[in-house]
Amino acid sequence: MSSNLMEVRNLTVDYVGEDSVARAVNGIDFEIREGEAFGLAGESGCGKSTVAFALARLTRLPGLVTGGSIRFKGEEVLGFEKERLRKYRWREVSFVFQSAMNALNPVIPVSEQICDTIWTHNPKASAEEVRARAVEMFELVGIPPRRLDDYPHQFSGGMRQRICIAIALCLNPRLIIMDEPTTALDVVVQRDIIEQIVELKSRLGFSVLFITHDLGLMIEFCDRIGIMYAGELVEVAPSAAILNSPQHPYTRALGNSFPPLTGPRQRLEGIAGTPPAPRAMPQGCRFAPRCAQAMPVCSLVPPELKIYPERESEAACHLLK
Ligand SMILES: Nc1ncnc2c1ncn2[C@@H]1O[C@H](COP(=O)(O)OP(=O)(O)OP(=O)(O)O)[C@@H](O)[C@H]1O
């Protein structure tokens, strides 16, 4: 089994208001292995982006990481000082967010924006070396290098997002955090980009943390998936297990609310009710009020995330033995 690149333990993130605190992430544990694509799925507001920002050490007030540990290659990320943090971001871990393509500066040619990133982290590199790396990155993401000096508005949305992926990859990071990287694009372009990331991942060997609303896309692309509900992980399992033998009732409900990848069209069921508000969490299992199989114990005792080695999975549900 491959080793862990990142280990998250008991991670807790709060949003602090004037007179109240909303716990958006409530003590979650997971790991991202070397070379794997790990997905985080769950309904809107379950805390996926909050986790992504915490891992990147980009949590900003009113958000606050109030507990737990994030270890990257064994080092505690939450303890990094300014210089170590600078190296960690981009060189070791980089990001592609949904809005990334709009973050390109419209009045600066793309070449400068890529070269600046390379230069900032390699101040001793010559202009030729930096330019050569920028050309290589354009080729890597399938854009003709002759377009390197164009401005962002001269590219389509899909190409701009590829440029952001090139920028994210240009320092050879070991982990790329992708939060809805293709959501703003049409389905065909989305698939093209995801396929390209998969190909680059196997060629370059980096790991990916992938967040998307599209569970079908995630199952196809990721090796393992963590299912989040109301700030907690309720199941972590290989993608095939999430698709074929989901253990947690929420995972099943989430699966039923997406169209199947193959086979005949089916009626989608959706999930009745809405997730609880962060300030009004149920006492026991957070999913119990919406769970058709809930038992009396479920509304009293929060289930722990337990390991099921025979299935290589973890799940938090009182129904499971
Ligand atoms: N700046 C903020 N201030 C207060 N609460 C916030 C803030 N950002 C997020 N939250 C709350 O934290 C919880 C988790 O939000 P988060 O954006 O991480 O969820 P998500 O699963 O990524 O949702 P989506 O899929 O819609 O992006 C939500 O209840 C949200 O309302």
Side-chain angles (χ1 to χ4, degrees):
M1 190 189 287
S2 53
S3 58
N4 293 336
L5 182 66
M6 190 163 245
E7 287 177 353
V8 177
R9 295 287 173 261
N10 201 23
L11 180 67
T12 305
V13 187
D14 293 332
Y15 288 101
V16 184
E18 281 204 349
D19 42 27
S20 64
V21 172
R23 180 144 294 179
V25 177
N26 188 32
I28 65 168
D29 295 321
F30 65 95
E31 30 315 300
I32 302 172
R33 298 174 186 157
E34 294 273 4
E36 85 166 343
F38 181 81
L40 274 183
E43 284 164 289
S44 189
C46 68
K48 306 179 297 291
S49 297
T50 303
V51 172
F53 275 79
L55 262 48
R57 278 283 308 265
L58 287 171
T59 307
R60 296 282 172 269
L61 285 171
L64 214 51
V65 175
T66 47
S69 152
I70 300 170
R71 287 192 170 268
F72 180 81
K73 290 188 185 166
E75 264 187 285
E76 179 54 62
V77 171
L78 296 175
F80 284 169
E81 300 293 343
K82 204 171 156 201
E83 262 318 290
R84 181 67 190 87
L85 198 54
R86 224 173 70 86
K87 183 171 169 231
Y88 172 71
R89 293 204 197 115
W90 295 110
R91 263 181 182 282
E92 293 176 330
V93 174
S94 69
F95 334 95
V96 180
F97 293 114
Q98 182 181 348
S99 52
M101 62 188 189
N102 302 323
L104 291 169
N105 189 327
V107 296
I108 299 179
V110 166
S111 53
E112 259 184 63
Q113 305 191 48
I114 299 190
C115 291
D116 276 356
T117 309
I118 303 170
W119 237 318
T120 311
H121 292 266
N122 300 283
K124 290 188 187 140
S126 69
E128 291 72 29
E129 283 167 342
V130 172
R131 177 86 187 179
R133 179 72 179 152
V135 167
E136 192 184 334
M137 295 321 296
F138 251 49
E139 281 169 347
L140 202 63
V141 296
I143 305 180
R146 65 182 152 76
R147 304 222 34 205
L148 206 50
D149 294 314
D150 286 358
Y151 288 84
H153 72 265
Q154 295 172 281
F155 295 95
S156 66
M159 279 173 138
R160 286 208 302 277
Q161 201 62 335
R162 279 176 206 270
I163 294 168
C164 294
I165 293 166
I167 295 177
L169 287 173
C170 69
L171 299 169
N172 266 334
R174 300 315 300 150
L175 172 68
I176 305 192
I177 297 176
M178 298 194 167
D179 189 352
E180 306 278 1
T182 57
T183 307
L185 305 169
D186 73 61
V187 213
V188 177
V189 179
Q190 275 195 25
R191 184 155 296 277
D192 268 7
I193 294 187
I194 297 293
E195 277 170 4
Q196 189 161 40
I197 297 169
V198 175
E199 197 271 314
L200 290 172
K201 179 177 92 68
S202 54
R203 185 139 50 106
L204 306 175
F206 53 80
S207 308
V208 177
L209 173 65
F210 187 56
I211 295 175
T212 175
H213 279 102
D214 187 336
L215 191 61
L217 196 66
M218 180 171 281
I219 285 172
E220 258 185 280
F221 174 49
C222 290
D223 301 294
R224 292 187 310 133
I225 296 176
I227 305 289
M228 281 189 80
Y229 184 77
E232 296 179 343
L233 273 169
V234 296
E235 182 160 359
V236 181
S239 295
I242 295 284
L243 176 67
N244 300 319
S245 54
Q247 298 299 309
H248 197 285
Y250 179 65
T251 311
R252 278 199 289 278
L254 200 63
N256 287 338
S257 60
F258 279 90
L261 293 175
T262 52
R265 282 170 173 240
Q266 290 168 11
R267 195 183 154 80
L268 301 179
E269 287 173 24
I271 311 174
T274 51
R279 289 181 181 82
M281 287 299 173
Q283 181 196 334
C285 169
R286 294 180 170 193
F287 186 57
R290 298 172 78 189
C291 181
Q293 294 164 275
M295 309 176 288
V297 64
C298 302
S299 53
L300 298 172
V301 183
E304 278 174 35
L305 193 70
K306 285 193 199 146
I307 301 174
Y308 296 90
E310 70 286 2
R311 297 196 281 260
E312 286 181 69
S313 74
E314 295 164 69
C317 179
H318 291 303
L319 291 164
L320 301 171
K321 294 285 167 281

